[in-house]
Amino acid sequence: MNSKKLSFVIPCFNASKFINQNIDRLIKFLKKKKYKYELLENGFSSKDIAAGRKVLNSKRITMAENTRKFEDAFAKKIGSRYALMVNSGSSANLLAAFAAGNILRKKRYKIGDEVLIPVLCWSTSVWPFVQFGLKPVFIDVDKNTLNISINDLKKKITKKTKAIVLINVLGNCSDLFEIKKIAKRKNIILIEDNCESLGSKLKNKYLGTFGDFSSFSFYYSHQITSGEGGMITCNSDEDYEILFSLRSHGWFGGTRFYSRKFASYNKYAKKFSNLDPRYIFSNSGFNLRPTDIQAAIAHNQFKRLDELKKMRNINRNLIIKKIKNSKSWNNQFYFFEPVKNLEPSWMGLPILLNEKYKKRKKKFIDFLDNAGIETRPIISGSFVNQPASKLYNLNKNNYKYPNAQKIQDLGFLIGLHTKKISTKNLNLIHSAFFKIDKIN
Ligand SMILES: Cc1ncc(COP(=O)(O)O)c(C=O)c1O
């Protein structure tokens, strides 16, 4: 593909200039070279594939029994009253954003209210709330855990603050008990983006059970995967009924193959007796449903969650030990420790370079890439640096975020796999990492 062809494909699209200027890098990215140590290995077992294939063979692939079974098992294990599967973690956040402000919710925020969000975030941790009409106020993160800074959070709470979005980063978290207390005291709705931390427990309580709504992602690189997929949890009947309708066209009770009877059924049945009770639309809505294939695959993976978590933990310890026990070790790298009382379920291994290597970071990342070690930034760096944030002027008050900036400037991530890391790969990581002292 050359740039002429590309401008033909997307005439007058204002990103075409940018793409054409970066065409070589883009093609390299799309071809995706083979790494020796990838961000993730093939996450599917033959049993996962068989579970998905069974649904496909049944020819009923839309949301049905498998989704319902997975939701029930999920809610039971993590200790939430309700769990509702969706087609991605982003969709779970979208549901949370619109459910928390829904007209049928007694306690709700309104267009123009403020939402506090850690600035080290994923794009769809922010956009659903902006799309609803809230004003985001970014909060810096704690440089030791990557998670929301409680000090900065306390400073930025005002009368206009009606929601807090927490992000539990890569298996780690802040003191969620403290944040929950603050939210309760100030009557603020708490939304917990737990897309990166399924399986982590704080004081024996699963992350993803602290928010009024909590979201999960089953995208390819996450703790469990169905390729695409997500979950949202909540604890009240009111919220569950709202989520249920919003997920599926605003449809009361759901589709033919997956319906629930809600307490308000009689109210609707009486009031709208002129309607077919199976086709009542009681709320606004999206279509964010998963397929039953995704549910079957994710459910099968979910049964192995503890095992996957254990192996990632073992691999993390092996990599850190290999680096820190090396005779070349001179604090070149910083590894983030779990917050106190956390039993972590890691997603990837985030690493910070020593400040003195700041100018070498790009060269070092390129070096790792050429050595066959795949890396990526920690989430998306400080979100206020992203063009989309500038386009919509999200950082209106021009706050600075020194810790998130530092994490963007010095941080990167390598994968943590669910099979024991080979000695060959341990040696590869060791020898490539310590080349940092030779790059200039
Ligand atoms: C913190 C966070 N929130 C939300 C998402 C979105 O999840 P999904 O890719 O399933 O849409 C991600 C994705 O990686 C994420 O890291």
Side-chain angles (χ1 to χ4, degrees), residues 364-413:
F364 180 61
I365 296 298
D366 285 347
F367 173 79
L368 292 182
D369 197 76
N370 287 327
I373 299 171
E374 191 178 12
T375 66
R376 55 161 292 173
I378 296 176
I379 316 199
S380 57
S382 178
F383 197 69
V384 291
N385 296 331
Q386 295 289 349
S389 172
K390 293 183 197 300
L391 188 66
Y392 286 86
N393 193 19
L394 295 190
N395 192 29
K396 277 199 179 64
N397 29 31
N398 273 321
Y399 288 131
K400 300 273 178 275
Y401 310 93
N403 292 343
Q405 190 60 48
K406 185 172 165 190
I407 288 158
Q408 176 175 321
D409 293 342
L410 299 168
F412 67 101
L413 184 91

Side-chain angles (χ1 to χ4, degrees), residues 86-101 109 124-132 191 193 215 232 243 246-247 285-288:
V86 283
N87 55 14
S88 73
S90 304
S91 298
N93 284 346
L94 188 65
L95 274 189
F98 280 78
Y109 47 58
T124 50
S125 313
V126 184
W127 290 118
F129 300 91
V130 175
Q131 285 153 353
F132 180 89
I191 289 138
D193 179 340
S215 62
I232 179 161
L243 291 173
L246 292 191
R247 170 175 70 174
F286 304 98
N287 179 359
L288 307 172

Side-chain angles (χ1 to χ4, degrees), residues 88-90 93 122 124-125 167 193 195-196 217-219 222 228-229 379:
S88 73
S90 304
N93 284 346
W122 189 246
T124 50
S125 313
I167 301 174
D193 179 340
C195 285
E196 300 188 349
S217 166
F218 311 137
Y219 186 62
H222 293 240
E228 298 278 5
I379 316 199

